[in-house]
Amino acid sequence: MILITGSSSYLGKNLINFFDKNNIKYLGIDKQKPYNINCLKVDILNENLSLRLKKKITKIVHLAAVSSDHASKKNINHSYDTNVFGTVNLINFAKKNKIQKFVFASTEWVYGDFKKKKSQKTKINISKLKSHYAITKAICEKIILSSALNYSILRFGIIYGNKKKNFSAVESIVHQVKNKRRISINSKKTARSFIHILDILKSIKLSLNYKKKGIFDIQGSKLISLEEIIKITSKLLNKKVNILELEKNRPSRRLINSSISHKKLKFIPKISINKGINLILKNV
């Protein structure tokens, strides 16, 4: 049975739906309201996890976290407690129960701010990270690397899908184009390798079955600018919008080399940005 932490989160709920659809047995835990009957209200900081989780757990997908820089800034101490000490507690549980696979949801933020191409050969320098969210994830990665667990660390890109809140740039722009005649963005040239939630779920499944240890960048198929998202959405809606650029001359472009995940994990994203935006529009 697979333990899913953070089971009431956006990613957690989607993973549970995916597991249900594929008849994969799981137990979800979250400190928020349980998502379904296969989930429990349990905080990963609980020192008695073994007493609360009495079912036989063989693998873990660790999603629970204060999962954005914005949320981390609101309560820095809570962010470090949950992300770092919660992960340490879960690692101890994993060791005690001889877990076969430990999948950790990390982030591309551990690379910091950059404009040049990066790959997994790039060393993470925690001292240069400005985001508390990124720092907590980088610390967790280092702890996992020294834990002797059979791990898969997944450095997720910017995830988008049919979110109802905590929008990524993709959902935010799609909703603005749909509902407004004029939208505001920092720079049209700002770009990321946005990745759809359905591709994220596939990467998790592959990582659970990966026999060896590994760190994988999980990114969309190509770099997509905010301007492209606006154009695609406008075309699908047959609507023109006026664009106000707040920081026209300060575009941010984050390009990450995902060749290792393609080669070793056999992960290839399938949802194009056009298809992803279409899926959003069908649900708004």
Side-chain angles (χ1 to χ4, degrees), residues 23-209:
N23 296 314
I24 299 172
K25 293 183 178 180
Y26 64 88
L27 172 66
I29 63 170
D30 200 296
K31 66 180 183 180
Q32 304 299 326
K33 181 181 178 180
Y35 180 50
N36 65 19
I37 59 173
N38 294 318
C39 298
L40 301 173
K41 187 174 182 179
V42 177
D43 193 329
I44 58 171
L45 285 167
N46 189 316
E47 294 180 358
N48 297 312
L49 282 179
S50 293
L51 296 178
R52 295 296 310 276
L53 310 178
K54 296 182 179 180
K55 294 185 178 181
K56 177 62 178 176
I57 305 297
T58 58
K59 299 180 181 181
I60 295 175
V61 179
H62 181 25
L63 308 176
V66 177
S67 56
S68 72
D69 186 50
H70 177 70
S72 293
K73 287 178 181 177
K74 286 184 176 180
N75 191 331
I76 296 173
N77 289 340
H78 174 63
S79 176
Y80 280 85
D81 283 344
T82 299
N83 293 8
V84 179
F85 295 117
T87 298
V88 170
N89 196 36
L90 198 63
I91 288 172
N92 291 334
F93 170 85
K95 288 180 177 179
K96 182 178 180 180
N97 291 273
K98 299 180 180 179
I99 296 301
Q100 298 171 10
K101 192 71 181 184
F102 190 93
V103 178
F104 177 65
S106 190
T107 173
E108 66 174 26
W109 280 65
V110 297
Y111 288 119
D113 297 324
F114 58 83
K115 295 181 180 180
K116 295 181 180 180
K117 188 173 182 180
K118 296 280 183 175
S119 72
Q120 285 189 287
K121 292 181 180 179
T122 303
K123 293 182 179 180
I124 294 174
N125 190 335
I126 296 179
S127 66
K128 291 187 177 182
L129 295 177
K130 300 176 182 179
S131 159
H132 287 289
Y133 169 58
I135 292 170
T136 62
K137 287 294 186 178
I139 291 172
C140 288
E141 285 195 17
K142 287 187 176 293
I143 295 170
I144 292 168
L145 290 174
S146 62
S147 68
L149 291 174
N150 181 20
Y151 60 81
S152 284
I153 294 173
L154 307 182
R155 292 173 180 164
F156 292 139
I158 306 301
I159 303 172
Y160 75 99
N162 299 320
K163 294 181 182 178
K164 303 302 180 184
K165 58 182 180 178
N166 299 324
F167 291 159
S168 73
V170 179
E171 292 107 343
S172 177
I173 288 174
V174 170
H175 282 261
Q176 285 189 72
V177 173
K178 185 177 187 299
N179 298 311
K180 299 179 180 180
R181 290 290 178 184
R182 183 178 182 180
I183 68 173
S184 300
I185 58 174
N186 287 336
S187 169
K188 291 191 293 185
K189 301 303 179 184
T190 286
R192 297 286 187 272
S193 297
F194 297 102
I195 182 163
H196 194 272
I197 183 67
L198 294 179
D199 283 324
I200 290 290
L201 301 179
K202 291 177 183 177
S203 75
I204 292 174
K205 184 180 179 182
L206 288 169
S207 67
L208 282 166
N209 296 324

